[in-house]
Amino acid sequence: MARRKTEGRSDIILDSALKQFAQYGYGKSTIQDIAQASGVANGTVYLYYKSKEEILRACAERFHETHQEFSRVVLASEKSPSGKLRDYLCNRYLLWQKETNNSAAGSDLAQAMIHIAPEITEAEQALWLATLKAILKEGEKKELYHFESFSKELKIFLHCLIGFFPLPGASHPLSPTKQDLIETLEWFDKKWRTHATFKN
């Protein structure tokens, strides 16, 4: 991954670009739109980024770096595995709602991200899985959780989470909320703790 520019104006451009992409779609947004939203001239945008594709890649890299740091903070915290699981997934849920807004423009942005920065998309998916595995394995190591089949139950857990993180632009008949997510996490936590109690 290319090293992300850290200048304040660069971040303003990226923030403005993301808002444009999320509201109007990646395809319909132009450098001129991004410059206007950023309060700078077109030429200033080009001083930082050579193209709209480079802007999108920089947005993806910045998002992934933020995700990596948050994952590290969650895993290093003193909270219980269930607390870590709640913090991690509720944070991702709120970000997902903010970034995609479940809109057609969000779908356009997601597709552009996959096309322009597939390796970052893959890294994001890998980080999600690694973080969840680490939290659940910690619960198992501390004998708070017990899994009859870790890989099978992890797969079921991930399937249950899909409804909370739908593809942008795709409707969900139940429109799950953050409270629904918390209740889902509590259900799995209780199930795994019950298994641990029976085991001991």
Side-chain angles (χ1 to χ4, degrees):
M1 283 182 199
R3 183 175 178 272
R4 181 173 68 84
K5 298 179 179 69
T6 56
E7 296 91 337
R9 183 166 287 177
S10 171
D11 281 327
I12 291 172
I13 291 170
L14 295 185
D15 289 341
S16 299
L18 271 178
K19 289 178 183 177
Q20 285 291 128
F21 297 156
Q23 185 171 357
Y24 302 107
Y26 174 79
K28 293 182 179 179
S29 299
T30 65
I31 292 289
Q32 184 176 356
D33 294 330
I34 294 168
Q36 186 174 0
S38 304
V40 300
N42 289 7
T44 302
V45 174
Y46 284 113
L47 286 175
Y48 291 89
Y49 303 102
K50 297 176 182 178
S51 65
K52 188 171 70 169
E53 289 78 10
E54 190 173 300
I55 290 174
L56 181 60
R57 178 175 288 279
C59 287
E61 289 178 354
R62 184 176 69 163
F63 184 85
H64 185 59
E65 289 169 7
T66 302
H67 186 182
Q68 286 178 311
E69 179 58 27
F70 183 69
S71 176
R72 282 193 291 268
V73 169
V74 168
L75 293 177
S77 78
E78 297 298 322
K79 290 190 176 183
S80 67
S82 59
K84 291 180 180 182
L85 205 57
R86 179 180 294 197
D87 285 353
Y88 180 68
L89 287 173
C90 285
N91 172 271
R92 304 322 294 171
Y93 172 81
L94 293 175
L95 275 178
W96 190 269
Q97 293 294 309
K98 178 183 175 184
E99 296 296 334
T100 68
N101 199 25
N102 201 27
S103 66
S107 179
D108 176 58
L109 174 58
Q111 291 302 316
M113 195 80 74
I114 292 170
H115 177 70
I116 292 169
E119 75 285 359
I120 301 175
T121 302
E122 290 175 7
E124 271 292 288
Q125 293 173 348
L127 181 58
W128 264 87
L129 188 58
T131 304
L132 290 174
K133 278 184 174 180
I135 294 172
L136 296 181
K137 282 294 186 181
E138 180 187 338
E140 185 176 44
K141 184 177 179 180
K142 292 182 175 179
E143 298 186 338
L144 297 173
Y145 293 157
H146 172 68
F147 308 97
E148 295 176 7
S149 169
F150 181 80
S151 59
K152 181 179 179 180
E153 292 183 45
L154 175 62
K155 184 177 180 181
I156 293 170
F157 183 52
L158 292 173
H159 281 315
C160 289
L161 293 179
I162 289 174
F164 296 98
F165 305 94
L167 291 174
S171 60
H172 189 287
L174 298 179
S175 298
T177 65
K178 179 183 174 184
Q179 183 57 37
D180 293 325
L181 174 58
I182 290 172
E183 289 174 3
T184 300
L185 297 177
E186 288 175 346
W187 186 89
F188 275 97
D189 183 69
K190 183 178 179 181
K191 177 185 182 299
W192 291 326
R193 284 178 184 273
T194 299
H195 281 318
T197 300
F198 286 154
K199 180 185 177 184
N200 295 330

